């Protein structure tokens, strides 16, 4: 069955013509799915019953099932666990900032990138998400909160550039003026650094903000933390990052998770400075979120401050990521992982 929520409006128009319906029906259906955010064909009340039945027979309307929500008492951050139609579960996060609501979505079920500190990759990759499954995380959260989503960050479980076509299609649908009409500038995609895709993405989505997970200032250390670094060197990665800023004129974000005694020393800050000097970039320092399967420890507050100060001294834009929802479920992928582990324990 065709996944109707993943079709663009022109594609949907073609579909309507194919099944012998008027073209304008596509606009109505598109609006029900992407603006009114309904979950079933039966809610599309300006379509005849006959047409609704026809749609049900030929098209699948993807709608995620909300399994669990945890809301932080500290900052109102909420984590959502959704079940997909094949039974897999994924997680998303809603963060409330003064500049608007931001939703962090997953791009895959699991992940095969193998980053050592990350919970999402522990059980490997199950599959990439369909565009509709990425979108519906945002739609369900907007409905749940009854507030407009302003920003979308693709920083949940999965490597978005390992699901590239679906990612680009999702962005197209999300930014469509006939849909939620989110601005490209309000979308951030985070990658572990799949170099050829950085070039392709720059050419195809020049307004989207790109974040690159760096986490180390040199190849030796990066290879220990992130297997992808065996495939692409830091030189290649930084060259791609420069291409991105040149082509798009947009500032790039480098994510750097600080792990105690591993990548948080003075000399690492110094090396990082020489890597990014002169680039139109911003460095986001993330105190590593410990996961129980690995023994990485967060750097001390003082060490993090010193690291930041050193970068700032060289005129580099740097922030320490605020820990949101610290009282709910730790690191990325942990809510999903603990849910799966719990389900497996039950007889
Ligand atoms: N695969 C993409 C996006 C998902 S991860 C990427 O690698 O960028 C989003 C960010 O969280 C990445 O920077 C990732 O390295 C980081 N991250 C993952 N697990 C973490 C942990 N336990 N503590 C801190 N940051 C973590």
């Amino acid at each position: 069955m065709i996944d109707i929520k993943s079709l663009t409006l022109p594609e949907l128009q073609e579909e309507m013509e194919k099944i012998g319906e008027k073209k304008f029906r596509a606009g109505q259906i598109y609006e029900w799915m992407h603006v009114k955010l309904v979950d079933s064909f039966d809610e599309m009340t300006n379509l005849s019953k006959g047409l609704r039945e026809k749609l049900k027979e030929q098209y699948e309307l993807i709608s995620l099932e909300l399994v669990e929500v945890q809301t932080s008492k500290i900052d109102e951050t909420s984590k959502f666990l959704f079940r997909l139609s094949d039974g897999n579960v994924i997680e998303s996060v809603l963060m409330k900032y003064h500049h608007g609501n931001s939703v962090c979505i997953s791009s895959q079920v699991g992940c095969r990138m193998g980053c050592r500190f990350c919970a999402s990759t522990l059980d490997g990759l199950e599959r990439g998400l369909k565009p509709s499954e990425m979108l519906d995380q945002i739609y369900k959260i907007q409905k749940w909160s009854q507030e407009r989503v302003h920003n979308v960050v693709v920083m949940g479980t999965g490597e978005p550039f390992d699901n590239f076509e679906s990612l680009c299609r999702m962005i197209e649908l999300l930014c469509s003026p006939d849909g939620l009409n989110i601005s490209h500038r309000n979308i951030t995609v985070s990658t572990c650094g799949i170099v050829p895709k950085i070039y392709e993405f720059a050419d195809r989505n020049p307004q989207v903000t790109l974040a690159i997970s760096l986490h180390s200032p040199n190849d030796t250390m990066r290879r220990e933390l992130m297997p992808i670094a065996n495939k692409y060197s830091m030189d290649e990665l930084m060259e791609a990052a420069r291409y991105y800023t040149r082509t798009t004129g947009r500032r790039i974000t480098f994510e750097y998770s600080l792990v105690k005694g591993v990548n948080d020393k003075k000399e690492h800050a110094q090396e990082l400075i020489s890597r990014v000097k002169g680039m139109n970039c911003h460095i986001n320092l993330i105190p590593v979120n410990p996961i129980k399967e690995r023994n990485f420890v967060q750097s001390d507050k003082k060490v993090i401050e010193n690291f930041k100060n050193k970068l700032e001294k060289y005129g580099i834009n740097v922030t320490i990521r605020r820990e949101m929802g610290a009282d709910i479920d730790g690191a990325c992928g942990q809510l999903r992982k603990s849910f799966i582990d719990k389900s497996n324990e039950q007889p």
Side-chain angles (χ1 to χ4, degrees):
M1 279 220 274
I2 296 173
D3 167 17
I4 195 169
K5 213 182 249 185
S6 290
L7 300 179
T8 61
L9 183 55
E11 287 168 345
L12 192 53
Q13 286 167 342
E14 252 174 60
E15 281 294 324
M16 287 305 106
E17 284 179 336
K18 242 192 266 169
I19 63 166
E21 293 292 331
K22 295 251 162 47
K23 210 171 145 183
F24 79 91
R25 292 288 178 207
Q28 293 179 320
I29 298 168
Y30 197 89
E31 189 184 20
W32 282 114
M33 291 190 294
H34 299 284
V35 179
K36 296 180 180 159
L37 313 182
V38 300
D39 301 319
S40 67
F41 291 117
D42 283 329
E43 290 165 81
M44 303 183 180
T45 46
N46 58 359
L47 309 182
S48 71
K49 195 141 193 296
L51 175 54
R52 281 185 261 159
E53 291 307 316
K54 197 152 124 188
L55 292 173
K56 273 187 230 171
E57 275 162 27
Q58 303 197 27
Y59 302 96
E60 182 186 16
L61 182 58
I62 292 290
S63 172
L64 307 187
E65 179 200 339
L66 181 57
V67 182
E68 193 182 323
V69 190
Q70 296 181 352
T71 299
S72 161
K73 292 189 183 69
I74 306 171
D75 54 26
E76 277 190 277
T77 294
S78 298
K79 295 209 177 187
F80 300 80
L81 195 73
F82 293 109
R83 189 178 284 111
L84 310 172
S85 52
D86 65 0
N88 276 307
V89 289
I90 54 169
E91 65 179 90
S92 331
V93 186
L94 167 66
M95 291 155 290
K96 297 194 167 193
Y97 295 107
H98 57 267
H99 59 266
N101 288 356
S102 198
V103 170
C104 172
I105 63 168
S106 293
S107 57
Q108 297 183 308
V109 181
C111 183
R112 58 173 173 169
M113 293 299 126
C115 299
R116 302 281 300 151
F117 42 81
C118 181
S120 299
T121 196
L122 289 168
D123 296 325
L125 175 71
E126 189 64 38
R127 66 174 175 87
L129 293 181
K130 300 170 188 171
S132 54
E133 291 169 329
M134 286 185 251
L135 283 177
D136 211 44
Q137 299 170 55
I138 304 158
Y139 295 177
K140 287 288 178 316
I141 291 175
Q142 176 156 314
K143 277 177 84 172
W144 179 88
S145 67
Q146 299 184 329
E147 286 172 6
R148 184 169 164 79
V149 171
H150 287 92
N151 300 288
V152 171
V153 296
V154 190
M155 271 191 200
T157 299
E159 167 51 43
F161 285 178
D162 191 33
N163 189 18
F164 194 75
E165 287 308 322
S166 294
L167 170 80
C168 292
R169 180 175 276 268
M170 181 279 290
I171 293 172
E172 186 181 348
L173 294 165
L174 188 60
C175 299
S176 146
D178 303 297
L180 269 202
N181 197 13
I182 289 191
S183 154
H184 286 88
R185 290 174 165 264
N186 292 350
I187 299 175
T188 300
V189 173
S190 175
T191 178
C192 64
I194 302 183
V195 166
K197 296 293 178 204
I198 296 177
Y199 287 97
E200 214 179 319
F201 197 69
D203 294 333
R204 280 173 63 169
N205 293 284
Q207 294 298 308
V208 172
T209 302
L210 185 65
I212 297 180
S213 300
L214 211 53
H215 306 318
S216 326
N218 60 56
D219 280 318
T220 317
M221 187 191 297
R222 197 159 188 269
R223 284 178 189 141
E224 275 166 28
L225 294 173
M226 305 175 73
I228 192 72
N230 291 302
K231 200 153 177 198
Y232 306 107
S233 69
M234 285 243 342
D235 283 345
E236 289 171 300
L237 180 59
M238 297 313 274
E239 193 41 49
R242 281 197 195 88
Y243 178 83
Y244 190 86
T245 52
R246 236 185 2 254
T247 319
T248 64
R250 314 252 316 141
R251 189 169 83 165
I252 213 162
T253 298
F254 290 113
E255 292 155 283
Y256 194 105
S257 295
L258 287 158
V259 187
K260 187 172 185 165
V262 175
N263 60 0
D264 63 351
K265 305 203 175 90
K266 266 193 210 126
E267 59 263 34
H268 301 136
Q270 197 59 51
E271 218 177 343
L272 182 60
I273 290 163
S274 58
R275 284 277 176 195
V276 303
K277 234 174 139 197
M279 274 180 87
N280 183 15
C281 74
H282 167 250
I283 294 183
N284 198 201
L285 298 175
I286 313 170
V288 81
N289 224 328
I291 58 173
K292 67 175 192 306
E293 292 82 358
R294 303 265 187 268
N295 47 4
F296 288 116
V297 180
Q298 230 174 57
S299 306
D300 298 329
K301 282 229 150 48
K302 190 87 196 103
V303 171
I304 299 177
E305 272 304 321
N306 289 343
F307 202 96
K308 173 174 181 264
N309 293 342
K310 196 157 176 64
L311 296 179
E312 270 177 346
K313 243 208 268 168
Y314 285 83
I316 295 165
N317 268 302
V318 51
T319 45
I320 299 173
R321 181 183 289 177
R322 252 197 312 146
E323 282 182 90
M324 305 281 284
D327 57 330
I328 38 180
D329 230 304
C332 331
Q334 284 202 336
L335 176 57
R336 169 172 178 266
K337 178 104 180 76
S338 60
F339 180 82
I340 295 172
D341 291 349
K342 246 187 286 164
S343 316
N344 289 343
E345 276 164 20
Q346 276 156 19

